[in-house]
Amino acid sequence: MTVAEGIDRVRERIDAARSRYGHADDVTLELAAKTRTPETCREAARALAERGLPVVLGHNRVQEALSTAPAIREVPAASIHLIGPLQKNKINHALNCVDLVETVASRELVEELDIRASRNCMKLQVFLQVNTSGEASKHGCSPEDVPSLVEAVELSPSLRLEGFMTVGLRSDDEAAVRRSYMRLRELRDDAAERLAVAESDLQLSMGMSQDLEWAIAEGATVVRVGTAIFGPRPAIG
Ligand SMILES: *Cc1c(COP(=O)(O)O)cnc(C)c1O
């Protein structure tokens, strides 16, 4: 299967889920590109552009984002998201190659990003990452911390809150997985109400290869898909 065929198949899954669950708005397919080469990333970005789809690629590591960014940016209007945790000492590198950080989960990171973005005279887009499954291994703030983090981002002149992100519960139990996605939607709806903006102004980045239908059922506006498009990841090490 080529990357382009993978994109077509996943788009079919997205559209089938949208009609099944009555999801009127389109869902952005973000390609989770960890471990893929610059050439593969560029091929994937071109395939999205050829189909008239938004060109959004997500990287887990700043180093991978840096090394693939020149190839990805050959495609007009490409957008690169960081979907893995951001260490403080990598912030400047991240700001050089990333358009949006999906993994903001602490007040400290909000403050540090605001300072560095302001030095670069840029407005950085961010998602707040929430641990909605309660699994200890997962990155993200706790649901209780969301209101204060939303406020912290709102008070940061160089950051713009674009939405929320979660990595769902890893399980075959549909009800349990959907509960974690529903939780993110509720947090988004609360935030929209407090900020007096439309819910649709705040994205919901949730759902991966194995469960994107369940995420769409709960209102995902962005799904992050890797293996269903690129095939299995090479073993690390
Ligand atoms: C790898 C990854 C994905 C995509 O996972 P697949 O199962 O390969 O689709 C999505 N989100 C994050 C944060 C990831 O690290």
Side-chain angles (χ1 to χ4, degrees), residues 32 34 60 83 165 167 208-209 224-227 233:
K34 57 175 167 283
N60 291 69
I83 60 174
M165 181 271 218
V167 177
M208 316 200 293
S209 292
R224 306 178 308 272
V225 181
T227 47
R233 277 183 284 278

Side-chain angles (χ1 to χ4, degrees), residues 86 88 91 95 101 103-118 124-129 139 141 145-161:
L86 176 58
K88 210 170 144 181
I91 291 178
L95 294 184
V101 177
T103 50
V104 175
S106 72
R107 185 174 279 271
E108 193 190 2
L109 187 58
V110 168
E111 286 166 4
E112 204 62 43
L113 280 173
D114 188 47
I115 292 168
R116 313 280 189 103
S118 128
L124 179 70
Q125 309 175 77
V126 301
F127 290 172
L128 292 180
Q129 183 177 359
H139 183 73
C141 70
D145 291 338
V146 169
S148 69
L149 281 174
V150 167
E151 193 183 305
V153 175
E154 284 298 304
L155 294 171
S156 301
S158 297
L159 304 183
R160 193 168 72 220
L161 182 67

Side-chain angles (χ1 to χ4, degrees), residues 113-189:
L113 280 173
D114 188 47
I115 292 168
R116 313 280 189 103
S118 128
R119 272 186 214 148
N120 287 16
C121 301
M122 67 191 287
K123 188 108 177 167
L124 179 70
Q125 309 175 77
V126 301
F127 290 172
L128 292 180
Q129 183 177 359
V130 187
N131 179 345
T132 54
S133 66
E135 293 165 287
S137 60
K138 293 250 161 84
H139 183 73
C141 70
S142 71
E144 296 72 46
D145 291 338
V146 169
S148 69
L149 281 174
V150 167
E151 193 183 305
V153 175
E154 284 298 304
L155 294 171
S156 301
S158 297
L159 304 183
R160 193 168 72 220
L161 182 67
E162 292 285 341
F164 296 87
M165 181 271 218
T166 195
V167 177
L169 184 70
R170 202 161 192 82
S171 161
D172 296 330
D173 179 347
E174 174 172 354
V177 173
R178 285 182 57 169
R179 259 197 307 281
S180 69
Y181 291 143
M182 192 198 314
R183 191 81 185 94
L184 195 70
R185 172 162 48 90
E186 291 167 352
L187 292 164
R188 189 273 313 265
D189 294 351

